[in-house]
Amino acid sequence: MTATSLASAAEKTRRNRNRPIWEEPPTVAGQAGKGAVLVFIVLVVLIPLYMIVLTSISTQGSINQAGGMVLVPHGFTVEAYRQIFTNNLVISSLIASFGITLVGTLISVTVTVLCAYGLSRARSWGHRFILMLLVVTMFFNGGLIPTFMVVSGLGGYDNYWAMILPSAVSVFNILVMRGFFAGTSRDLIDAAYMDGAGEWRILTRIVLPTSRAVVAVISLFYAVGYWNTFFNALLYLPDNQKWPLQLVIYTYTLQGNPMPGTGITQTGQYFGTQQIAPLSIQMAVVTLTLIPILVIYPFVQRHFAKGMLLGAVKG
C-alpha cells in the first residue's frame, strides 16, 4: 500500500469518527442529491429577488421587451430610485416604518422579557393563573370589529400608537422566552440571592446575559412583524402621509394605483418628459423594504438554532 493510499484511508477514518456508529457513510449519489436540492431551494429564493432588483433599475424598453419582470439585463437606469427618494410620500413612509419598528420592537421586547421572567419564577404570585389566561388568548379573541372599537374609543384612530400597542405582545414569544429563562442554572440564581441580589439585578446581571440568543431571535421576530405590518395601518391611519412603507406598496403596487408625485398614471402613460416605467418604481419601493431585513438577518441568523431549541444552561 502506497503512502498516498495510507493517507487517504487515515483521512477517511478520521472523518468517519465524527459520525454515529449506526449512520452509514454518505454515498456519491446521496451527496449529489442533497447538493441539487439545496441549489434548487437557493435559486427559488434568489431568482425572484434578482428579478425585483433588476426590474427596479431597468428601462421602459427592457420591461416592454421582457413583457413584465426582467430576467435578462438590458438597459439600466436609476431614475426609479431618484423618483422615490424625491417623493415625499415614500420618504415619510420610510421614516414612519423605521419609527414604528424601532419603538415597537423596544416596547415588545421589554414587556416580553419582564412577563416571561415573572412567569418563569415558581414563587411568582399567581403565575400559573396568568399563564393560563395568556394561553387562552392564543386561541380566542374578541374579533376585528370589537378591537377596532376599543382602539378607536381610546383615541388610537389616526395615531401611530395604534400600530404598536394592540400587537405589542405575542404570547408565543412569551412562552418561548419563559421556557428559556426557566432553564437558567438554579445554582447561579441561588448564589445571587445569597449575595443579596434582588429580582431586577438577577434578571439584568444573570438571566439576560445567558439568554442573548433567545432575546436576539425574539427581537428579530418583533422587528420583522412591525416592519411588514400594513393591515393595522389600513384600519387606523386614514392619512396617507402617515402610512408605513408596506401600506404604500399595497396601495400603489398590488392595487396598481398611481403613486402621487411620480408623474405616472395608472395605465403607464407619462406626463411631461418623464421616461420612467411604473413597474420600475413599484419594484424599487419593494427593494427598499427588503434591504433592512437582508442587512440585519446575517447578524441574528447564528442565534436561531440556539435561541429556539436550547436552554440557558450551557454545558
Side-chain angles (χ1 to χ4, degrees), residues 39-211:
V39 169
F40 175 75
I41 294 174
V42 169
L43 291 177
V44 168
V45 174
L46 292 183
I47 288 178
L49 296 179
Y50 163 78
M51 293 177 67
I52 289 172
V53 175
L54 184 59
T55 303
S56 70
I57 58 175
S58 295
T59 61
Q60 178 69 68
S62 299
I63 295 175
N64 292 339
Q65 183 178 348
M69 301 292 291
V70 179
L71 182 60
V72 179
H74 175 68
F76 297 104
T77 178
V78 294
E79 278 297 308
Y81 291 95
R82 188 184 69 82
Q83 287 286 333
I84 63 176
F85 280 117
T86 57
N87 187 291
N88 291 332
L89 177 61
V90 176
I91 296 301
S92 64
S93 67
L94 272 173
I95 296 174
S97 290
F98 276 114
I100 291 170
T101 301
L102 291 176
V103 176
T105 302
L106 179 62
I107 292 175
S108 295
V109 172
T110 301
V111 174
T112 300
V113 167
L114 295 178
C115 183
Y117 177 73
L119 294 175
S120 68
R121 301 299 98 194
R123 292 176 294 180
S124 299
W125 179 84
H127 71 282
R128 292 185 180 276
F129 177 71
I130 295 173
L131 179 61
M132 183 173 62
L133 288 181
L134 290 174
V135 172
V136 169
T137 64
M138 295 179 66
F139 305 100
F140 304 98
N141 61 72
L144 178 60
I145 295 177
T147 302
F148 178 82
M149 293 175 64
V150 170
V151 174
S152 298
L154 294 175
Y157 192 74
D158 202 21
N159 281 300
Y160 280 122
W161 72 258
M163 300 290 298
I164 298 173
L165 296 186
S167 56
V169 178
S170 168
V171 177
F172 173 79
N173 291 339
I174 290 177
L175 295 179
V176 171
M177 195 170 285
R178 172 186 175 273
F180 205 95
F181 288 169
T184 305
S185 175
R186 187 65 199 177
D187 294 337
L188 289 175
I189 296 178
D190 289 341
Y193 280 132
M194 292 179 64
D195 289 339
E199 297 292 347
W200 181 255
R201 177 164 293 185
I202 291 174
L203 173 62
T204 57
R205 299 294 181 87
I206 297 177
V207 176
L208 286 181
T210 60
S211 306

Side-chain angles (χ1 to χ4, degrees), residues 176-177 180-181 211-219 303 306-308:
V176 171
M177 195 170 285
F180 205 95
F181 288 169
S211 306
R212 291 192 183 96
V214 71
V215 173
V217 172
I218 297 301
S219 299
H303 294 297
K306 185 188 299 184
M308 299 304 295

Side-chain angles (χ1 to χ4, degrees), residues 254-273:
L254 294 183
Q255 294 187 337
N257 296 326
M259 185 177 297
T262 60
I264 302 177
T265 67
Q266 186 174 2
T267 59
Q269 300 299 319
Y270 302 98
F271 289 127
T273 60

Side-chain angles (χ1 to χ4, degrees), residues 234-309:
L234 194 64
L235 290 176
Y236 303 119
L237 297 180
D239 185 2
N240 64 356
Q241 292 299 320
K242 293 183 178 181
W243 285 356
L245 191 59
Q246 298 295 339
L247 185 54
V248 171
I249 292 177
Y250 173 78
T251 303
Y252 301 114
T253 299
L254 294 183
Q255 294 187 337
N257 296 326
M259 185 177 297
T262 60
I264 302 177
T265 67
Q266 186 174 2
T267 59
Q269 300 299 319
Y270 302 98
F271 289 127
T273 60
Q274 294 287 346
Q275 297 295 323
I276 180 72
L279 187 60
S280 293
I281 288 187
Q282 294 171 357
M283 293 303 103
V285 177
V286 173
T287 302
L288 286 181
T289 67
L290 300 175
I291 292 175
I293 304 301
L294 294 177
V295 170
I296 295 174
Y297 180 79
F299 298 99
V300 184
Q301 184 272 338
R302 63 190 180 93
H303 294 297
F304 265 84
K306 185 188 299 184
M308 299 304 295
L309 300 178

